[in-house]
């Protein structure tokens, strides 16, 4: 929290270029590879929300999943994509939360952007205002332009450049609607924000639907690589950790008299988790609770 505030406060007073140098870099790793494909995962630093972007390298083209919150990390994705020397034929946005779509407008102005119908509509409606507000809040580390999805992805199976992809619509999880992408030949389940890996889960209300979505992922044993929306690639054991975290949140919410008490209990129980600032954001703006009551 202190670190991010320092970074962001410094950032506001500096030029874009100086700011990008000031920010800690995202990590990039090769999450998996088969004969036909490689999947690279970029993860923003833990104090910068640890948002992920996945770059799927197919024989002749690239598919990218999610667009970051802070523009410098989307520029890092762009550098990675350029280094692979193949065209980006689809850029997917998994759901309509700003940390997955406001970052990449400047870095990828010309790629075809895909989302579920609901997500496309949500970004059309709320994206411009959200971008403006975040620019006012964070200054030059927010992209100047928004790339609103222009293509609708229908759920179903598709073969792209010789590789089978399964697209599914998941509802009532961390978001109201989200796109999950499975790549059977790589045993890979791109869950995005249904799963967080060692990053504080973003709590905005009742999490029963989220638990259901997590259990559905856990039940599909053929997928051994889980790609979360926040945090590093993982195996299915991460799902059990997330379910326990949600249980701990419910218990702690019920037993806390103030936001401060709640936050300190969460931090004490999960001292190594990234995304501490996410707790401040959801407590301030999203999670409705009458704290004095209990
Ligand atoms: Zn997110």
């Amino acid at each position: 929290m202190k670190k991010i505030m320092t970074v962001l406060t410094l950032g506001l007073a500096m030029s874009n270029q100086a700011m990008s140098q000031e920010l800690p870099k995202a990590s990039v790793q090769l999450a998996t590879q088969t004969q036909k494909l490689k999947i690279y995962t970029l993860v923003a630093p833990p104090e910068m929300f640890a948002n992920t972007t996945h770059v799927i390298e197919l024989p002749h083209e690239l598919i990218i999943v999610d667009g970051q919150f802070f523009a410098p990390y989307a520029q890092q994705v762009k550098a990675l994509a350029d280094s692979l020397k193949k065209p980006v034929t689809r850029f997917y946005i998994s759901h309509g939360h700003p940390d997955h779509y406001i970052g990449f407008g400047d870095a990828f102005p010309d790629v075809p952007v895909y989302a579920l119908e609901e997500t496309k509509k949500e970004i059309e409606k709320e994206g411009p205002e959200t971008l403006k507000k975040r620019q006012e809040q964070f200054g030059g580390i927010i992209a100047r332009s928004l790339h609103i999805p222009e293509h609708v992805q229908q759920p179903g199976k598709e073969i792209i450049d010789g590789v089978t992809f399964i697209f599914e619509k998941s509802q009532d999880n961390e978001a109201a609607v989200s796109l999950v992408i499975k790549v059977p030949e790589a045993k890979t389940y791109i869950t995005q924000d249904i799963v967080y890996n060692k990053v504080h889960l973003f709590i905005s209300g009742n999490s029963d639907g989220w638990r259901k979505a997590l259990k559905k992922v856990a039940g599909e044993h053929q997928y051994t690589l889980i790609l979360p929306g926040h945090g590093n690639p993982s195996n299915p054991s991460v799902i059990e950790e997330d379910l326990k975290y949600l249980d701990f949140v419910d218990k702690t919410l019920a037993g806390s008299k103030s936001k401060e008490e709640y936050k300190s209990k969460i931090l004490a129980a999960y001292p190594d988790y990234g995304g501490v600032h996410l707790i401040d954001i959801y407590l301030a703006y999203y999670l409705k609770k009458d704290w004095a009551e209990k």
Side-chain angles (χ1 to χ4, degrees), residues 49 51 66 95 97 99-100 174 193 196 202 229-230 278:
F49 311 151
N51 274 90
D66 276 354
H95 65 292
H97 290 169
D99 51 323
H100 300 262
E174 186 255 18
D193 279 10
Y196 282 53
F202 195 89
H230 295 260
L278 293 168

Side-chain angles (χ1 to χ4, degrees), residues 136-182:
E136 288 161 9
Q137 184 182 6
F138 295 115
I141 49 173
I142 297 297
R144 285 184 297 276
S145 60
L146 186 66
H147 193 153
I148 295 172
E150 57 278 275
H151 299 280
V152 170
Q153 178 63 48
Q154 302 293 348
K157 190 188 278 192
E158 265 186 64
I159 296 171
I160 306 169
D161 204 5
V163 175
T164 300
F165 287 78
I166 299 168
F167 298 95
E168 283 179 4
K169 184 196 292 189
S170 173
Q171 283 170 292
D172 186 27
N173 53 64
E174 186 255 18
V177 182
S178 74
L179 177 69
V180 301
I181 303 174
K182 303 177 195 175

